[in-house]
């Protein structure tokens, strides 16, 4: 007697096989790279699935690779960023809607001031126009890969909290944020 999954129609045996065996070949991930409050995105080209969607660096995790190891390999392959330690990747979430679908891991990497931020477009056939650092509030207006909208909204909220805290700190010191920003931009 065969029992069938009401979501996908697979027999329970096939579904169990997908979860335990085939799933190893169906893991992908992305890194939300943040620098100075902006996120690194590129637009997927016409020869890729999700054509025209904006994406973060990432891709398929190879069989036998650890998730973070595979993500850092993809980051280096796609952007030229290297020498990033696994410990700097902050886990955001795993998207696994159904065991027969791809399991997608999302991590965050905050680049430090002074760190290399010149991003190379090492795979131009996969994205249109290269990589850009974009304000997350502007990125939310774009056609984003489905897993990115929530994390980008969190970065927008985080940036607002930081700005409000900075403004409060300056007010506590008797300073006006607009005057401080103007002085910073003067480059005296």
């Amino acid at each position: 007697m065969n029992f069938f999954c009401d979501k996908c129609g697979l027999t329970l045996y096939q579904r169990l096989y997908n979860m335990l065996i085939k799933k190893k070949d169906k893991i992908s991930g992305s890194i939300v790279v943040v620098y100075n409050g902006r996120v690194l995105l590129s637009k997927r080209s016409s020869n890729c699935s999700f054509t025209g969607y904006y994406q973060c660096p990432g891709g398929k995790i190879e069989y036998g690779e650890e998730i973070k190891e595979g993500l850092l390999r993809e980051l280096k392959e796609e952007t030229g960023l290297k020498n990033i330690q696994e410990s700097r990747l902050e886990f955001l979430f795993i998207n696994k809607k159904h065991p027969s679908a791809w399991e997608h891991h999302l991590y965050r990497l905050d680049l430090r001031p002074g760190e290399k931020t010149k991003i190379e477009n090492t795979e131009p056939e996969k994205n249109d126009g290269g990589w850009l650092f974009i304000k997350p509030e502007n990125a939310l207006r774009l056609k984003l890969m489905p897993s990115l909208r929530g994390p980008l909204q969190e970065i927008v909220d985080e940036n607002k909290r930081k700005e409000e805290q900075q403004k409060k700190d300056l007010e506590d010191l008797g300073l006006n944020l607009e005057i401080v920003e103007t002085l910073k931009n003067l480059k005296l």
Side-chain angles (χ1 to χ4, degrees):
M1 176 184 287
N2 282 329
F3 295 97
F4 293 91
C5 172
D6 58 351
K7 291 183 180 178
C8 66
L10 294 176
T11 66
L12 293 182
Y13 171 79
Q14 290 169 318
R15 187 166 171 208
L16 184 62
Y17 174 79
N18 283 349
M19 287 191 299
L20 299 176
I21 308 299
K22 280 180 73 179
K23 191 175 197 174
K24 292 178 181 169
D25 293 333
K26 292 184 158 193
I27 298 176
S28 64
S30 299
I31 301 176
V32 179
V33 179
V34 181
Y35 180 72
N36 201 19
R38 296 171 183 251
V39 295
L40 184 64
L41 295 173
S42 74
K43 188 176 182 181
R44 293 174 68 91
S45 68
S46 60
N47 61 349
C48 294
S49 58
F50 292 97
T51 298
Y53 279 77
Y54 284 80
Q55 66 181 350
C56 289
K60 183 179 181 211
I61 306 302
E62 301 296 333
Y63 183 76
E65 249 181 344
E66 293 294 324
I67 304 295
K68 289 182 176 182
E69 175 188 10
L71 287 173
L72 291 175
R73 175 188 49 76
E74 286 287 347
L75 181 68
K76 182 180 174 185
E77 287 175 5
E78 293 179 6
T79 68
L81 285 174
K82 53 188 173 188
N83 301 323
I84 305 289
Q85 295 182 355
E86 288 182 14
S87 61
R88 292 191 48 206
L89 295 180
E90 176 190 341
F91 173 77
L92 296 175
F93 71 87
I94 300 173
N95 181 7
K96 46 184 175 181
K97 299 269 186 200
H98 193 272
S100 64
W102 281 77
E103 179 178 291
H104 190 80
H105 295 246
L106 195 65
Y107 282 79
R108 175 177 171 160
L109 169 66
D110 287 287
L111 294 178
R112 299 174 181 137
E115 206 165 9
K116 177 189 174 187
T117 56
K118 184 176 185 302
I119 307 299
E120 301 168 21
N121 188 14
T122 57
E123 297 179 330
E125 70 282 358
K126 293 184 180 178
N127 58 62
D128 292 334
W131 295 97
L132 302 168
F133 280 104
I134 300 173
K135 288 183 177 181
E137 57 271 21
N138 293 338
L140 287 171
R141 297 183 193 122
L142 301 173
K143 188 175 171 184
L144 293 169
M145 292 296 287
S147 62
L148 293 178
R149 195 156 298 283
L152 292 185
Q153 183 60 57
E154 287 179 20
I155 293 170
V156 167
D157 297 342
E158 177 185 310
N159 288 347
K160 284 180 185 176
R161 282 190 301 275
K162 284 180 181 176
E163 188 178 300
E164 288 168 7
Q165 185 61 49
Q166 183 182 33
K167 187 176 180 180
K168 184 184 177 307
D169 292 345
L170 290 172
E171 287 171 356
D172 290 346
L173 294 171
L175 300 172
N176 181 305
L177 180 62
E178 291 174 18
I179 293 171
V180 171
E181 289 298 322
T182 303
L183 290 173
K184 273 202 255 182
N185 292 330
L186 287 178
K187 298 179 184 175
L188 299 173

